[in-house]
Amino acid sequence: MAQLNPYIHFNGNAEEAFTFYKAAFGGEFAAFVRFKDFQNPEHPFPEHEANKIMHVSLPISGDSVLMGSDVPEFLGTVNGNENRSKISIACASKEEADKLYNALSEGGTVEMPIADSPWGSYFGMFRDKYGIEWMVSFDYK
């Protein structure tokens, strides 16, 4: 079966965001690579971008990994108001849903408070303080 792992981009604050996500989810980074770690004389990164994150991965469970990077300036910027997609977290318990919802939404904007939904799940939505949109749910079934 195929596995889906979200990969999110940032405008220079990937390290801060992933430190925040690590505090919420726990665990350790499987990869944490800066642009300066892969300097190529033919395609050098500007000195002010050397410490930005080229790739970071945070295992969330045995089956999923949250990954991300900063976008180098030559590729443009990430639209902080984008709302085409959300990261959905399916929790094993109502307590886990509350823990992750509260931790990840801290400093963000709540779109739907976590509560029992009309479709039978415990569900909430928000945009975190880094502009990433999340859905947290626990299915009672």
Side-chain angles (χ1 to χ4, degrees), residues 44-117:
F45 283 98
E47 184 62 34
H48 69 277
E49 291 197 304
N51 280 321
K52 289 183 179 179
I53 305 305
M54 177 181 244
H55 175 74
V56 58
S57 64
L58 178 64
I60 303 300
S61 70
D63 295 327
S64 62
V65 179
L66 181 63
M67 297 179 284
S69 68
D70 286 314
V71 176
E73 290 175 358
F74 74 88
L75 291 177
T77 58
V78 176
N79 178 352
N81 292 319
E82 178 210 354
N83 62 2
R84 295 181 305 157
S85 61
K86 294 187 185 305
I87 298 173
S88 178
I89 306 170
C91 297
S93 68
K94 188 174 178 181
E95 294 76 24
E96 181 183 42
D98 282 332
K99 176 185 174 274
L100 291 174
Y101 182 92
N102 291 331
L104 292 168
S105 66
E106 184 179 328
T109 304
V110 171
E111 296 172 345
M112 176 182 267
I114 194 160
D116 290 333
S117 70

